[in-house]
């Protein structure tokens, strides 16, 4: 067995945290970002111009729409987006805000009917420093959660096990969308 270095041999004060080193995340952090301008360079401006299946659009409202996340944390991870290219929640009109909220609630209901999750993560990351991958176009994440849905694979193997294809999840959610 090889000799292991003691953490006490390194600089710094112990703080009680264990560290999971994930240097592979730098590819994402330093990678190319979608164009901040509206139009074809923005994935949330482009998606509604495609057919529902091609654009992975689950539901279309008057001011906002719901689309599958191309890089889902879990099966059924959807994004609620305004059609208008705005970066911040406070930039929405009252009508957009109302529909944005309604579609978030409907997404939860559709996911409950389609896949019976045990919980949800709902959230918006506003600005690149807050973690928004597409900071220029507001979007809210609706992520279904199940007990035990997180495991060692993303850290150790850089792999996320997703048991359904995006197209199949989109069809199932569209079928269960509240009337």
């Amino acid at each position: 067995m090889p000799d292991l270095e003691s953490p006490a041999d390194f600089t710094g004060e112990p703080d009680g945290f264990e560290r999971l080193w994930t240097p592979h995340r730098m590819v994402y952090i330093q990678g190319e970002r979608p164009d901040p301008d509206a139009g074809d360079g923005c994935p949330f401006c482009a998606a509604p111009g495609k057919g529902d299946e091609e654009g992975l659009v689950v539901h279309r409202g008057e001011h906002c729409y719901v689309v599958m996340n191309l890089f889902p944390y879990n099966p059924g991870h959807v994004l609620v987006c305004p059609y208008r290219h705005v970066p911040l929640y406070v930039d929405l009109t009252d009508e957009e805000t109302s529909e944005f909220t309604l579609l978030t609630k409907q997404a939860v209901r559709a996911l409950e009917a389609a896949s019976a999750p045990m919980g949800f993560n709902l959230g918006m990351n506003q600005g690149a420093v807050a973690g928004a991958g597409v900071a220029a176009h507001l979007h809210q994440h609706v992520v279904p959660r199940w007990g035990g849905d997180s495991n060692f694979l993303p850290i150790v193997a850089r792999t996320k096990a997703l048991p359904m294809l995006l197209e199949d999840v989109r069809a199932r959610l569209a079928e269960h969308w509240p009337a």
Side-chain angles (χ1 to χ4, degrees):
M1 180 176 208
D3 290 335
L4 297 177
E5 296 173 307
S6 168
D9 294 339
F10 296 103
T11 60
E13 294 293 321
D15 59 8
F17 288 99
E18 291 191 33
R19 305 292 196 270
L20 291 176
W21 300 106
T22 56
H24 59 276
R25 291 278 300 154
M26 289 307 292
V27 173
Y28 172 77
I29 292 167
Q30 295 175 338
E32 287 186 34
R33 294 284 179 252
D35 190 328
D37 298 323
D40 291 339
C42 172
F44 302 135
C45 288
K50 301 175 182 176
D52 289 354
E53 290 181 17
E54 180 189 359
L56 296 173
V57 174
V58 176
H59 179 81
R60 296 172 189 264
E62 184 179 346
H63 305 286
C64 303
Y65 70 98
V66 179
V67 64
M68 301 301 303
N69 188 328
L70 288 177
F71 305 102
Y73 299 143
N74 273 337
H77 180 173
V78 296
L79 304 169
V80 179
C81 306
Y83 291 113
R84 207 163 54 91
H85 188 85
V86 297
L88 301 173
Y89 182 72
V90 296
D91 293 337
L92 295 176
T93 65
D94 290 345
E95 293 81 12
E96 288 168 330
T97 302
S98 178
E99 189 172 71
F100 194 83
T101 301
L102 174 66
L103 292 183
T104 300
K105 290 171 71 172
Q106 288 181 339
V108 168
R109 293 289 183 227
L111 284 160
E112 287 174 332
S115 57
M118 300 165 80
F120 292 90
N121 290 119
L122 305 176
M124 295 176 260
N125 301 325
Q126 296 188 53
V129 299
V134 183
H137 197 131
L138 178 68
H139 55 284
Q140 174 154 267
H141 296 259
V142 179
V143 183
R145 300 300 306 267
W146 294 268
D149 64 13
S150 294
N151 59 34
F152 66 92
L153 283 175
I155 301 300
V156 175
R158 294 186 290 191
T159 302
K160 179 70 177 167
L162 297 169
M164 292 181 73
L165 295 173
L166 285 175
E167 297 86 356
D168 296 340
V169 178
R170 189 216 66 82
R172 189 172 183 152
L173 287 176
E175 174 188 340
H176 287 91
W177 199 263

